[in-house]
Each structure stands twice: as C-alpha cells, then as structure tokens.
Amino acid sequence: MIGNLKPLEIVLIIAVILLLFGAKKLPDMARSLGKSARILKSEAKAMKKDDAATAATTETVEDPAPPQSTTARTIQAAPGDVTSSRPVNEAKPTTQS
C-alpha cells in the first residue's frame, strides 16, 4: 500500500501533518519516537539474551527448577536523556513529637 503512493500524495500527507501538529512540535515528536525505538530495541535484545541464557541453562542443568535472578534488570536511559538517568532520592519519613 505504501509502495503505491505517488510523490504528490506523499507531499500532501506531509503538508497535512505539518498543518495538524505544527513545525515546532514535529522535532520533539521525532525525538521521542527515536527514544522509544531505542528502548524497544534494547529491551528486545535483553529478552533474546535472557531466552538464550535460559535455554542454555535448561539444556545443561538436569534439575528443572526455575532460574532465579539475583540482580534486578533496569531500563537504561536513552542517550541524551539526562532527566531519567539521574538517581532519584527518596524522602525519608521524619517523626515529630
């Protein structure tokens, strides 16, 4: 379906998108789309790695006990995303008399 688009139709679609969202919001939308794609790609790689590690351990281990992970997996911030890469300090409750 996309291969059947003519150049004039593509220009018309781009013009409608510019009118709907405006030129100022498009770079931000593209940036957030890129961050989402990078996170999705890294998570897919991590899932493949986990599946490969699980498959390797189940082939070598004769005990069918489920593997337990000692380290927690975290999603790392995308490159250039400084707001989510900062550590979060939790407020400690104070007791007042």
Side-chain angles (χ1 to χ4, degrees):
M1 181 175 153
I2 293 177
N4 296 336
L5 292 177
K6 297 174 184 158
L8 183 60
E9 294 170 343
I10 294 173
V11 170
L12 183 64
I13 291 171
I14 291 172
V16 168
I17 290 173
L18 276 172
L19 287 174
L20 287 176
F21 296 109
K24 291 183 180 181
K25 291 186 181 181
L26 285 178
D28 293 333
M29 291 173 55
R31 192 174 300 117
S32 65
L33 182 65
K35 286 179 185 179
S36 301
R38 280 191 295 268
I39 291 172
L40 180 67
K41 185 178 178 181
S42 67
E43 285 298 311
K45 283 183 181 179
M47 288 176 62
K48 286 181 183 178
K49 188 190 304 183
D50 287 347
D51 289 343
T54 304
T57 57
T58 55
E59 289 176 1
T60 58
V61 176
E62 294 181 14
D63 185 24
Q68 295 179 351
S69 176
T70 57
T71 59
R73 261 187 32 201
T74 58
I75 299 176
Q76 295 180 350
D81 186 14
V82 294
T83 56
S84 62
S85 63
R86 294 182 181 160
V88 178
N89 296 329
E90 295 183 21
K92 296 180 182 178
T94 58
T95 56
Q96 296 178 352
S97 301

